[in-house]
Amino acid sequence: MYNLDLLKCLDALLSSSIYHDYCPNGLQIAGKERIKKVICGVSLTRELIDIAIAKHADAIIVHHGAFWNKTPYNITGIQYNRIAPIIKNDINLFAYHLPLDNHPQLGNNFQLAKLLQLSNIRQDSGNNLLWFGELAHDFTLQQFAAHYQSITQHKPVYFARDDKLIRRIGLCTGGAVSLFDEAIKHNIDMYITGEIKENVMGQSLESDVGYLAGGHYVTERYGIMALAEYLRSELNLDAEFIELYNPI
């Protein structure tokens, strides 16, 4: 497949044009025209790039790419050490942030909700970065934390009343601490995101809505995993997800 054809396919699949994002979505660095081998990962790191080079990849696709709104223009230091080998090895770099969070089947939110065995998985019609679903039965706080850890192999940080029962879930993967206020308005028992701030414990206890920080990396690995499977099954590309676990 040609790199620009893959770009068109991914842009259409993920509806990238509808998002006002913190980064450029799509082809961030152009490489060779023909793509056969694709390496997929959550975040662009030098380790992932070195693996892609060793595996003779034609493209890297990540959720967290090389460029963000506050990225300095200077290509020096860590930024140079990432970009230079990509260009020198003629590798295409694709990145999809919010479009990969919110896809109705492949997205991080849907994939995590499905993995946690939620039913009636849906987006908030007003703020479609928030997703909701229900567990099959009530869980105690400790039972739900154990359920999360068993499925993801990641130990979460969580708060709620000790006797709080958990069934109705709100979630937004990654660093969506700021959406906790909005999520609280939706009659949920637990809010799940990736990260946490100091004020969250008090906010959780005072609102009587539980909060579970499941890891930024962990909550956002399932979308790129699903995308890699899509590339294999639908586009016949040799696509491989690389697990580079990050406990944060």
Side-chain angles (χ1 to χ4, degrees), residues 113-153:
K114 183 174 71 169
L115 194 70
L116 294 174
Q117 301 166 11
L118 303 187
S119 62
N120 191 23
I121 301 169
R122 61 203 183 275
Q123 287 178 276
D124 176 22
S125 58
N127 181 344
N128 66 9
L129 296 178
L130 284 171
W131 288 65
F132 302 95
E134 286 82 41
L135 294 158
H137 59 82
D138 289 344
F139 283 70
T140 67
L141 178 61
Q142 290 73 25
Q143 286 171 340
F144 183 70
H147 173 66
Y148 184 91
Q149 185 170 349
S150 174
I151 287 172
T152 65
Q153 301 302 302

Side-chain angles (χ1 to χ4, degrees), residues 3-24:
N3 58 354
L4 296 184
D5 289 336
L6 179 57
L7 173 63
K8 290 177 183 177
C9 177
L10 291 174
D11 280 350
L13 174 69
L14 299 173
S15 303
S16 61
S17 64
I18 71 173
Y19 292 94
H20 298 288
D21 212 335
Y22 313 104
C23 62

Side-chain angles (χ1 to χ4, degrees), residues 34-107:
R34 294 302 297 267
I35 295 176
K36 294 181 180 179
K37 175 67 177 180
V38 181
I39 291 297
C40 298
V42 174
S43 298
L44 185 70
T45 64
R46 183 57 192 262
E47 184 177 6
L48 184 68
I49 295 163
D50 289 342
I51 291 170
I53 292 169
K55 289 178 175 285
H56 305 288
D58 307 305
I60 297 171
I61 303 178
V62 291
H63 182 50
H64 302 134
F67 306 105
W68 299 89
N69 288 354
K70 295 183 180 180
T71 302
Y73 293 126
N74 313 66
I75 301 178
T76 59
I78 291 173
Q79 187 77 328
Y80 175 82
N81 289 331
R82 290 176 178 176
I83 291 174
I86 292 174
I87 294 175
K88 289 176 182 176
N89 287 275
D90 209 16
I91 297 173
N92 295 274
L93 173 65
F94 296 84
Y96 290 93
H97 186 235
L98 293 181
L100 190 57
D101 285 319
N102 259 5
H103 190 273
Q105 285 85 40
L106 304 178

